[in-house]
Amino acid sequence: MNNQTWQIRRRMESNISEVMLIRGGRVVDPANDFDDIADVLIVDGRIAAVRPNISFSAQYEYNAAGKLVVPGLIDMHVHLREPGQEAKEDFISGSKAAAAGGFTTVATMPNTSPVVDNAALVRAMIHRAEEVGIVNVKIIGAVTKGQKGQELAELRDMIDAGAVAFSDDGHFDDNAKIFLNALDYLHDTGKVIICHEEETTLVEGGVMNEGKRSALLGLKGRPTVAEDIAVSRDALLAEYTGGRVHIAHISSARSVDIVRYAKELGIKITAEVTPQHLTMTEDLVNPTDASTKINPPLRTKADCDALLAGLLDGTIDMIVTDHSPHAPEEKDREYIYAPSGFPGLETSVGVLFTELYHKGKIDLKTLISKMTAEPARIFGLDAGTLSIDAPADITIIDPDLVWTVDAKNFYTKGSHSPFIGRELKGRAVATIVGGNLMKLNQR
């Protein structure tokens, strides 16, 4: 009797009744190096078998013929805005947006009001997520109290409370000593610090990439060297302490080179990139449309090419959305006054498939791995795989579905996106979390 058959029989003997069968899809599971037409059997919220032609009586069957069946997508960099900024987003709207976009696990950043910098808030946020969220919501704690960069937050207590990582995202930790102390303090915990990399004095007042385009538009720029300096410093501090750093939303070609070299030296450094930085350039910046205002800003085509190369050769470990919704009245302002960021959970798959996969710039296994197995590995999550007995978090994607982005159909509260009106090819059509099919209308 093979292991898969044993798993099925053991569950039957336990009188477990909740059974789902996903039939005939192309199953792509990079964690297990599996890519084939197969069925996926789910019993009691866990993966029971993955193989062709499973003969089993299930309560619910999903016909996945012509579609991709992959581990539930993971996004380790979102802003769900709770607590205190619920006008922008909350765990209800944000988790619905995640499910609509095919994400079964997201990690929310701590730059809220108040900042999530203590164990009590971490516990409260976990409870809130379990109470109202429809996907797995992980909590990232702040590195410093109030994200002010002056005093370490309750790092160990937050780990005990359930924080999966730490970040002062939205702020660069200028004080190298404080940052070094954080790396030292977390050294034996295995936890990662996610670093927002911009040397503060070089970007003050900047609203887009510094270069010819910013000069032409008369907008103050944020130079790539600000990111490069910050990445270099944090790589050196990680080497010095043996701590783990993760570069958030990397955007500069030189920063990619720095991370690549640091990895060659054995430094514990990883990096992430967003769909927008992979596929959009500063040429799209329009001073009358603040949807393209993000931080770090859109860069040049040379930077985009370097980011893609880094993704393909393993320098960049994962893709995240940096989902950053704002209230409509905040973004409906002059470019220089509008906040940075836009919602990305519901457009990520479409953009990546349209601009990268369908254009032959990335293979399917690599793309799916960067959104499943790799983030799970780096952050130590019980996710990102279709292994037997793993949680049944699954995303079903129609790679050929053509659709048009319309803000009126978003579940997120954020409506300003540079992808509005774009025709995309590829979309998540079903999201299963813990064996439960999310009942969201494809709007």
mmCIF file of all heavy atoms in Angstrom, residues 133-170:
data_model
loop_
_atom_site.group_PDB
_atom_site.id
_atom_site.type_symbol
_atom_site.label_atom_id
_atom_site.label_comp_id
_atom_site.label_asym_id
_atom_site.label_seq_id
_atom_site.Cartn_x
_atom_site.Cartn_y
_atom_site.Cartn_z
ATOM 1 N N GLY A 133 -11.338 37.368 9.206
ATOM 2 C CA GLY A 133 -10.619 37.147 7.953
ATOM 3 C C GLY A 133 -11.044 35.846 7.293
ATOM 4 O O GLY A 133 -11.384 34.867 7.970
ATOM 5 N N ILE A 134 -10.999 35.810 5.966
ATOM 6 C CA ILE A 134 -11.364 34.582 5.263
ATOM 7 C C ILE A 134 -10.139 33.909 4.645
ATOM 8 O O ILE A 134 -10.264 32.867 4.007
ATOM 9 C CB ILE A 134 -12.438 34.823 4.189
ATOM 10 C CG1 ILE A 134 -11.935 35.758 3.090
ATOM 11 C CG2 ILE A 134 -13.706 35.372 4.827
ATOM 12 C CD1 ILE A 134 -12.886 35.857 1.911
ATOM 13 N N VAL A 135 -8.957 34.507 4.827
ATOM 14 C CA VAL A 135 -7.697 33.858 4.470
ATOM 15 C C VAL A 135 -6.805 33.868 5.709
ATOM 16 O O VAL A 135 -7.156 34.454 6.738
ATOM 17 C CB VAL A 135 -6.994 34.570 3.286
ATOM 18 C CG1 VAL A 135 -7.886 34.598 2.057
ATOM 19 C CG2 VAL A 135 -6.557 35.985 3.668
ATOM 20 N N ASN A 136 -5.652 33.232 5.616
ATOM 21 C CA ASN A 136 -4.704 33.230 6.728
ATOM 22 C C ASN A 136 -3.995 34.580 6.776
ATOM 23 O O ASN A 136 -3.320 34.958 5.813
ATOM 24 C CB ASN A 136 -3.678 32.118 6.539
ATOM 25 C CG ASN A 136 -4.322 30.755 6.381
ATOM 26 O OD1 ASN A 136 -5.107 30.324 7.233
ATOM 27 N ND2 ASN A 136 -4.019 30.063 5.287
ATOM 28 N N VAL A 137 -4.140 35.300 7.857
ATOM 29 C CA VAL A 137 -3.508 36.606 8.017
ATOM 30 C C VAL A 137 -2.420 36.498 9.074
ATOM 31 O O VAL A 137 -2.699 36.202 10.242
ATOM 32 C CB VAL A 137 -4.522 37.695 8.409
ATOM 33 C CG1 VAL A 137 -3.815 39.033 8.610
ATOM 34 C CG2 VAL A 137 -5.616 37.826 7.350
ATOM 35 N N LYS A 138 -1.175 36.728 8.671
ATOM 36 C CA LYS A 138 -0.031 36.700 9.572
ATOM 37 C C LYS A 138 0.314 38.131 9.989
ATOM 38 O O LYS A 138 0.131 39.076 9.228
ATOM 39 C CB LYS A 138 1.176 36.046 8.902
ATOM 40 C CG LYS A 138 0.902 34.644 8.363
ATOM 41 C CD LYS A 138 0.510 33.666 9.459
ATOM 42 C CE LYS A 138 0.310 32.269 8.903
ATOM 43 N NZ LYS A 138 -0.094 31.307 9.974
ATOM 44 N N ILE A 139 0.850 38.265 11.198
ATOM 45 C CA ILE A 139 1.134 39.586 11.755
ATOM 46 C C ILE A 139 2.644 39.833 11.796
ATOM 47 O O ILE A 139 3.410 39.017 12.319
ATOM 48 C CB ILE A 139 0.553 39.716 13.178
ATOM 49 C CG1 ILE A 139 -0.931 39.333 13.187
ATOM 50 C CG2 ILE A 139 0.760 41.142 13.699
ATOM 51 C CD1 ILE A 139 -1.819 40.152 12.267
ATOM 52 N N ILE A 140 3.050 40.960 11.246
ATOM 53 C CA ILE A 140 4.439 41.411 11.306
ATOM 54 C C ILE A 140 4.532 42.511 12.354
ATOM 55 O O ILE A 140 3.738 43.450 12.341
ATOM 56 C CB ILE A 140 4.911 41.930 9.937
ATOM 57 C CG1 ILE A 140 4.890 40.781 8.916
ATOM 58 C CG2 ILE A 140 6.308 42.544 10.027
ATOM 59 C CD1 ILE A 140 5.132 41.230 7.486
ATOM 60 N N GLY A 141 5.470 42.383 13.275
ATOM 61 C CA GLY A 141 5.636 43.378 14.333
ATOM 62 C C GLY A 141 6.660 44.437 13.954
ATOM 63 O O GLY A 141 7.500 44.228 13.072
ATOM 64 N N ALA A 142 6.609 45.566 14.629
ATOM 65 C CA ALA A 142 7.565 46.648 14.391
ATOM 66 C C ALA A 142 8.912 46.307 15.028
ATOM 67 O O ALA A 142 8.987 45.637 16.056
ATOM 68 C CB ALA A 142 7.034 47.956 14.957
ATOM 69 N N VAL A 143 9.971 46.806 14.416
ATOM 70 C CA VAL A 143 11.321 46.623 14.957
ATOM 71 C C VAL A 143 11.543 47.554 16.136
ATOM 72 O O VAL A 143 12.102 47.165 17.163
ATOM 73 C CB VAL A 143 12.392 46.869 13.880
ATOM 74 C CG1 VAL A 143 13.801 46.716 14.463
ATOM 75 C CG2 VAL A 143 12.205 45.920 12.703
ATOM 76 N N THR A 144 11.094 48.802 15.993
ATOM 77 C CA THR A 144 11.297 49.791 17.051
ATOM 78 C C THR A 144 9.961 50.333 17.545
ATOM 79 O O THR A 144 8.946 50.286 16.829
ATOM 80 C CB THR A 144 12.170 50.961 16.552
ATOM 81 O OG1 THR A 144 11.504 51.637 15.475
ATOM 82 C CG2 THR A 144 13.533 50.458 16.084
ATOM 83 N N LYS A 145 9.952 50.825 18.756
ATOM 84 C CA LYS A 145 8.721 51.356 19.344
ATOM 85 C C LYS A 145 8.203 52.524 18.507
ATOM 86 O O LYS A 145 8.930 53.489 18.249
ATOM 87 C CB LYS A 145 8.971 51.799 20.778
ATOM 88 C CG LYS A 145 9.235 50.624 21.725
ATOM 89 C CD LYS A 145 9.375 51.077 23.175
ATOM 90 C CE LYS A 145 9.570 49.874 24.101
ATOM 91 N NZ LYS A 145 9.709 50.269 25.514
ATOM 92 N N GLY A 146 6.953 52.414 18.102
ATOM 93 C CA GLY A 146 6.341 53.448 17.298
ATOM 94 C C GLY A 146 6.969 53.611 15.931
ATOM 95 O O GLY A 146 6.684 54.567 15.226
ATOM 96 N N GLN A 147 7.832 52.672 15.549
ATOM 97 C CA GLN A 147 8.606 52.759 14.299
ATOM 98 C C GLN A 147 9.397 54.069 14.233
ATOM 99 O O GLN A 147 9.628 54.623 13.161
ATOM 100 C CB GLN A 147 7.695 52.638 13.067
ATOM 101 C CG GLN A 147 7.088 51.257 12.881
ATOM 102 C CD GLN A 147 6.409 51.098 11.539
ATOM 103 O OE1 GLN A 147 5.663 51.967 11.088
ATOM 104 N NE2 GLN A 147 6.646 49.964 10.886
ATOM 105 N N LYS A 148 9.861 54.526 15.380
ATOM 106 C CA LYS A 148 10.595 55.791 15.436
ATOM 107 C C LYS A 148 12.101 55.600 15.346
ATOM 108 O O LYS A 148 12.856 56.573 15.294
ATOM 109 C CB LYS A 148 10.237 56.533 16.722
ATOM 110 C CG LYS A 148 8.775 56.968 16.784
ATOM 111 C CD LYS A 148 8.462 57.683 18.097
ATOM 112 C CE LYS A 148 7.002 58.126 18.132
ATOM 113 N NZ LYS A 148 6.675 58.807 19.435
ATOM 114 N N GLY A 149 12.567 54.355 15.379
ATOM 115 C CA GLY A 149 13.981 54.079 15.226
ATOM 116 C C GLY A 149 14.845 54.439 16.406
ATOM 117 O O GLY A 149 16.066 54.531 16.281
ATOM 118 N N GLN A 150 14.235 54.602 17.591
ATOM 119 C CA GLN A 150 14.989 55.059 18.756
ATOM 120 C C GLN A 150 15.154 54.006 19.844
ATOM 121 O O GLN A 150 16.121 54.023 20.603
ATOM 122 C CB GLN A 150 14.294 56.300 19.343
ATOM 123 C CG GLN A 150 14.240 57.474 18.379
ATOM 124 C CD GLN A 150 13.394 58.616 18.923
ATOM 125 O OE1 GLN A 150 12.845 58.546 20.021
ATOM 126 N NE2 GLN A 150 13.287 59.681 18.138
ATOM 127 N N GLU A 151 14.210 53.066 19.925
ATOM 128 C CA GLU A 151 14.233 52.057 20.988
ATOM 129 C C GLU A 151 13.597 50.777 20.466
ATOM 130 O O GLU A 151 12.552 50.825 19.806
ATOM 131 C CB GLU A 151 13.452 52.579 22.202
ATOM 132 C CG GLU A 151 13.483 51.663 23.411
ATOM 133 C CD GLU A 151 12.695 52.237 24.571
ATOM 134 O OE1 GLU A 151 12.193 53.371 24.466
ATOM 135 O OE2 GLU A 151 12.576 51.526 25.597
ATOM 136 N N LEU A 152 14.222 49.645 20.745
ATOM 137 C CA LEU A 152 13.683 48.380 20.268
ATOM 138 C C LEU A 152 12.303 48.107 20.853
ATOM 139 O O LEU A 152 12.034 48.386 22.026
ATOM 140 C CB LEU A 152 14.616 47.225 20.621
ATOM 141 C CG LEU A 152 15.952 47.146 19.874
ATOM 142 C CD1 LEU A 152 16.689 45.862 20.259
ATOM 143 C CD2 LEU A 152 15.756 47.206 18.367
ATOM 144 N N ALA A 153 11.438 47.564 20.014
ATOM 145 C CA ALA A 153 10.115 47.145 20.468
ATOM 146 C C ALA A 153 10.226 45.815 21.225
ATOM 147 O O ALA A 153 11.315 45.260 21.390
ATOM 148 C CB ALA A 153 9.192 47.007 19.263
ATOM 149 N N GLU A 154 9.081 45.292 21.669
ATOM 150 C CA GLU A 154 9.055 44.050 22.458
ATOM 151 C C GLU A 154 9.200 42.837 21.526
ATOM 152 O O GLU A 154 8.258 42.074 21.303
ATOM 153 C CB GLU A 154 7.742 43.962 23.227
ATOM 154 C CG GLU A 154 7.517 45.112 24.200
ATOM 155 C CD GLU A 154 6.138 45.054 24.857
ATOM 156 O OE1 GLU A 154 5.376 44.111 24.554
ATOM 157 O OE2 GLU A 154 5.829 45.944 25.655
ATOM 158 N N LEU A 155 10.397 42.649 20.988
ATOM 159 C CA LEU A 155 10.583 41.651 19.940
ATOM 160 C C LEU A 155 10.296 40.224 20.422
ATOM 161 O O LEU A 155 9.527 39.491 19.798
ATOM 162 C CB LEU A 155 12.002 41.755 19.379
ATOM 163 C CG LEU A 155 12.399 43.134 18.815
ATOM 164 C CD1 LEU A 155 13.826 43.103 18.297
ATOM 165 C CD2 LEU A 155 11.433 43.566 17.719
ATOM 166 N N ARG A 156 10.909 39.817 21.512
ATOM 167 C CA ARG A 156 10.706 38.445 22.003
ATOM 168 C C ARG A 156 9.258 38.211 22.410
ATOM 169 O O ARG A 156 8.686 37.155 22.123
ATOM 170 C CB ARG A 156 11.625 38.169 23.196
ATOM 171 C CG ARG A 156 13.093 38.168 22.873
ATOM 172 C CD ARG A 156 13.595 36.791 22.525
ATOM 173 N NE ARG A 156 15.021 36.797 22.251
ATOM 174 C CZ ARG A 156 15.768 35.729 22.126
ATOM 175 N NH1 ARG A 156 15.221 34.535 22.248
ATOM 176 N NH2 ARG A 156 17.049 35.809 21.862
ATOM 177 N N ASP A 157 8.676 39.175 23.077
ATOM 178 C CA ASP A 157 7.280 39.028 23.494
ATOM 179 C C ASP A 157 6.366 38.909 22.278
ATOM 180 O O ASP A 157 5.397 38.140 22.295
ATOM 181 C CB ASP A 157 6.847 40.221 24.346
ATOM 182 C CG ASP A 157 7.484 40.217 25.724
ATOM 183 O OD1 ASP A 157 8.039 39.166 26.106
ATOM 184 O OD2 ASP A 157 7.442 41.261 26.410
ATOM 185 N N MET A 158 6.667 39.655 21.241
ATOM 186 C CA MET A 158 5.843 39.570 20.030
ATOM 187 C C MET A 158 6.013 38.229 19.337
ATOM 188 O O MET A 158 5.055 37.697 18.763
ATOM 189 C CB MET A 158 6.163 40.734 19.085
ATOM 190 C CG MET A 158 5.564 42.063 19.524
ATOM 191 S SD MET A 158 5.654 43.358 18.254
ATOM 192 C CE MET A 158 7.363 43.865 18.401
ATOM 193 N N ILE A 159 7.215 37.659 19.380
ATOM 194 C CA ILE A 159 7.408 36.317 18.829
ATOM 195 C C ILE A 159 6.544 35.319 19.591
ATOM 196 O O ILE A 159 5.847 34.489 19.004
ATOM 197 C CB ILE A 159 8.890 35.902 18.901
ATOM 198 C CG1 ILE A 159 9.726 36.746 17.934
ATOM 199 C CG2 ILE A 159 9.046 34.414 18.560
ATOM 200 C CD1 ILE A 159 11.222 36.523 18.069
ATOM 201 N N ASP A 160 6.582 35.411 20.913
ATOM 202 C CA ASP A 160 5.768 34.518 21.740
ATOM 203 C C ASP A 160 4.278 34.691 21.447
ATOM 204 O O ASP A 160 3.500 33.735 21.539
ATOM 205 C CB ASP A 160 6.028 34.778 23.222
ATOM 206 C CG ASP A 160 7.434 34.367 23.656
ATOM 207 O OD1 ASP A 160 8.064 33.578 22.929
ATOM 208 O OD2 ASP A 160 7.891 34.851 24.711
ATOM 209 N N ALA A 161 3.885 35.910 21.081
ATOM 210 C CA ALA A 161 2.475 36.195 20.787
ATOM 211 C C ALA A 161 2.073 35.736 19.387
ATOM 212 O O ALA A 161 0.881 35.662 19.081
ATOM 213 C CB ALA A 161 2.199 37.687 20.949
ATOM 214 N N GLY A 162 3.070 35.457 18.519
ATOM 215 C CA GLY A 162 2.740 34.942 17.191
ATOM 216 C C GLY A 162 3.216 35.756 16.014
ATOM 217 O O GLY A 162 2.861 35.438 14.864
ATOM 218 N N ALA A 163 4.022 36.793 16.218
ATOM 219 C CA ALA A 163 4.545 37.576 15.100
ATOM 220 C C ALA A 163 5.464 36.705 14.243
ATOM 221 O O ALA A 163 6.286 35.957 14.776
ATOM 222 C CB ALA A 163 5.308 38.793 15.608
ATOM 223 N N VAL A 164 5.323 36.814 12.915
ATOM 224 C CA VAL A 164 6.112 35.955 12.020
ATOM 225 C C VAL A 164 7.389 36.624 11.542
ATOM 226 O O VAL A 164 8.293 35.959 11.032
ATOM 227 C CB VAL A 164 5.282 35.516 10.797
ATOM 228 C CG1 VAL A 164 4.099 34.662 11.229
ATOM 229 C CG2 VAL A 164 4.822 36.713 9.972
ATOM 230 N N ALA A 165 7.479 37.954 11.677
ATOM 231 C CA ALA A 165 8.657 38.704 11.235
ATOM 232 C C ALA A 165 8.544 40.107 11.805
ATOM 233 O O ALA A 165 7.560 40.453 12.485
ATOM 234 C CB ALA A 165 8.741 38.741 9.706
ATOM 235 N N PHE A 166 9.560 40.939 11.509
ATOM 236 C CA PHE A 166 9.579 42.306 12.029
ATOM 237 C C PHE A 166 9.966 43.283 10.928
ATOM 238 O O PHE A 166 10.768 42.966 10.039
ATOM 239 C CB PHE A 166 10.549 42.418 13.212
ATOM 240 C CG PHE A 166 10.138 41.563 14.373
ATOM 241 C CD1 PHE A 166 10.659 40.293 14.539
ATOM 242 C CD2 PHE A 166 9.186 42.014 15.269
ATOM 243 C CE1 PHE A 166 10.261 39.483 15.594
ATOM 244 C CE2 PHE A 166 8.772 41.214 16.335
ATOM 245 C CZ PHE A 166 9.314 39.954 16.493
ATOM 246 N N SER A 167 9.395 44.480 11.008
ATOM 247 C CA SER A 167 9.699 45.492 9.996
ATOM 248 C C SER A 167 9.291 46.872 10.494
ATOM 249 O O SER A 167 8.290 47.018 11.200
ATOM 250 C CB SER A 167 8.946 45.191 8.695
ATOM 251 O OG SER A 167 9.240 46.144 7.706
ATOM 252 N N ASP A 168 10.061 47.867 10.121
ATOM 253 C CA ASP A 168 9.638 49.263 10.262
ATOM 254 C C ASP A 168 9.250 49.804 8.899
ATOM 255 O O ASP A 168 9.533 50.948 8.544
ATOM 256 C CB ASP A 168 10.754 50.112 10.893
ATOM 257 C CG ASP A 168 10.790 49.987 12.407
ATOM 258 O OD1 ASP A 168 9.854 49.401 12.983
ATOM 259 O OD2 ASP A 168 11.761 50.472 13.022
ATOM 260 N N ASP A 169 8.622 48.963 8.084
ATOM 261 C CA ASP A 169 8.278 49.323 6.707
ATOM 262 C C ASP A 169 7.598 50.681 6.640
ATOM 263 O O ASP A 169 6.759 51.012 7.469
ATOM 264 C CB ASP A 169 7.359 48.270 6.093
ATOM 265 C CG ASP A 169 7.104 48.546 4.621
ATOM 266 O OD1 ASP A 169 8.085 48.657 3.865
ATOM 267 O OD2 ASP A 169 5.933 48.673 4.241
ATOM 268 N N GLY A 170 7.996 51.430 5.626
ATOM 269 C CA GLY A 170 7.572 52.819 5.516
ATOM 270 C C GLY A 170 8.617 53.752 6.071
ATOM 271 O O GLY A 170 8.569 54.967 5.842
#
